[in-house]
Amino acid sequence: MKISEIKKELKSKKIPESAYSINKVKEESLCILKRKEFFEIFYYERGLENNKISFKEEDDACNYFINELKSWF
């Protein structure tokens, strides 16, 4: 899966858009970004990147991101 495909997948699973952010940092949301050669996922709150995890492979990052959000709802 590619980052560009995540939003469609999350919509089909009825995950609210307010819970996540794709390719940008947004307050009080789970974010996924490509930084240099890594894909990073973290919860952004009060200016801090919390519980950051990095992946080399885009597919692994996307699957983790989707599964993490599914576990919240």
Side-chain angles (χ1 to χ4, degrees):
M1 177 174 286
K2 304 273 187 205
I3 287 179
S4 60
E5 301 169 315
I6 290 176
K7 194 170 190 173
K8 184 178 178 182
E9 179 72 17
L10 293 173
K11 276 189 174 198
S12 75
K13 303 209 179 304
K14 308 264 194 266
I15 305 293
E17 288 187 39
S18 61
Y20 62 90
S21 179
I22 300 169
N23 290 321
K24 63 181 178 179
V25 175
K26 184 173 86 176
E27 191 67 32
E28 295 186 11
S29 65
L30 189 67
C31 304
I32 184 169
L33 306 164
K34 181 166 191 216
R35 290 185 173 159
K36 297 185 182 176
E37 70 272 5
F38 293 100
F39 297 89
E40 294 184 342
I41 298 169
F42 52 87
Y43 187 78
Y44 191 78
E45 182 179 34
R46 298 182 184 154
L48 299 173
E49 297 176 1
N50 299 293
N51 303 317
K52 188 186 304 186
I53 186 166
S54 298
F55 293 89
K56 189 90 170 147
E57 301 296 325
E58 184 173 17
D59 187 62
D60 293 338
C62 292
N63 287 324
Y64 178 89
F65 187 75
I66 289 167
N67 288 331
E68 185 69 16
L69 284 166
K70 283 178 12 185
S71 74
W72 293 3
F73 296 95

